[in-house]
Amino acid sequence: MESLETMTNAVPERTSLGARMQLSFVVPDLQEALKFWTETLKVGPFVVIEDLGDRHFFYRGQESPVEILIGFSYVGETQIELIEQINSAASPYTDFLESGRQGLHHFGFWPDDCEKARLELEQRGFKEVLVIQASNGGNKVTYHSGPEHVGAMFEIAPMTPERAKHFAGLKALADNWDGTRPVRWFRTRAEYMASEDCKA
């Protein structure tokens, strides 16, 4: 598996956003989306996390009890994320679906210096709209809306050792997938990380 250093520095960094990227899709039906990606596009396997645990969502400055299911896989070096919100709390996900859209919602990045990346996005016309944070104040994730021509939000998150292990496990699964068990469901991220699927 890739180390934290490899996950962050394998490619020369030419932007404060870092060298790795995620494409995140918001969908009304995760099961249907998983079927399309695994059966039609032959991408997988997907690891689905049902409970994010100690995460608090603040959308446009107001705390919101957002509940989501997330599925992860990889296509080469690019991570694929599928999100279904399972309640009606205010969020960029519900706004997106209620506008009549679905599909590509945001680009995710894991820069070495998150605060520098956030500041540079703000200087380039992006606006912070969502903060996801643990109760202890750590592991801050932010979403930023951008100029109309970008067409999607940007997500900034720190590449913590836990996240690096999580992502390395996902990539190893995708790189070595033989077509079996196209979707692996886990209640929590910790459950997945303790499983054989995170050690593949």
Side-chain angles (χ1 to χ4, degrees), residues 27-192:
V27 298
D29 186 328
L30 182 61
Q31 294 276 19
E32 183 178 326
L34 289 166
K35 182 176 181 180
F36 175 78
W37 279 89
T38 59
E39 295 184 10
T40 302
L41 298 182
K42 307 302 181 185
V43 172
F46 276 81
V47 168
V48 178
I49 307 297
E50 299 178 355
D51 183 357
L52 292 181
D54 180 28
R55 294 291 181 270
H56 301 273
F57 290 73
F58 297 87
Y59 184 46
R60 301 192 184 278
Q62 300 293 318
E63 187 164 11
S64 185
V66 177
E67 297 178 11
I68 56 178
L69 298 174
I70 304 182
F72 298 97
S73 190
Y74 268 86
V75 175
E77 298 296 319
T78 302
Q79 187 182 105
I80 304 298
E81 178 183 56
L82 306 177
I83 298 175
E84 178 190 350
Q85 183 166 332
I86 57 175
N87 68 355
S88 59
S91 76
Y93 318 123
T94 54
D95 283 356
F96 182 71
L97 294 173
E98 288 170 2
S99 73
R101 294 174 290 171
Q102 61 175 292
L104 182 63
H105 178 263
H106 65 263
F107 303 97
F109 300 93
W110 311 288
D112 290 337
D113 187 334
C114 288
E115 291 309 315
K116 177 182 177 182
R118 291 177 184 123
L119 178 61
E120 290 188 4
L121 284 180
E122 184 177 324
Q123 293 170 342
R124 293 167 182 168
F126 287 77
K127 304 293 184 183
E128 183 179 282
V129 296
L130 178 71
V131 176
I132 307 172
Q133 197 156 19
S135 295
N136 64 9
N139 200 20
K140 178 181 177 183
V141 175
T142 55
Y143 284 49
H144 306 259
S145 61
E148 288 187 2
H149 67 268
V150 175
M153 291 186 180
F154 278 20
E155 176 190 16
I156 301 296
M159 182 58 80
T160 62
E162 180 184 48
R163 184 170 279 121
K165 178 183 177 183
H166 177 189
F167 291 175
L170 294 170
K171 189 172 187 310
L173 273 178
D175 287 345
N176 297 290
W177 187 40
D178 63 2
T180 61
R181 297 177 59 217
V183 181
R184 291 105 190 270
W185 289 77
F186 296 90
R187 191 178 63 82
T188 65
R189 188 186 307 248
E191 182 180 289
Y192 156 67

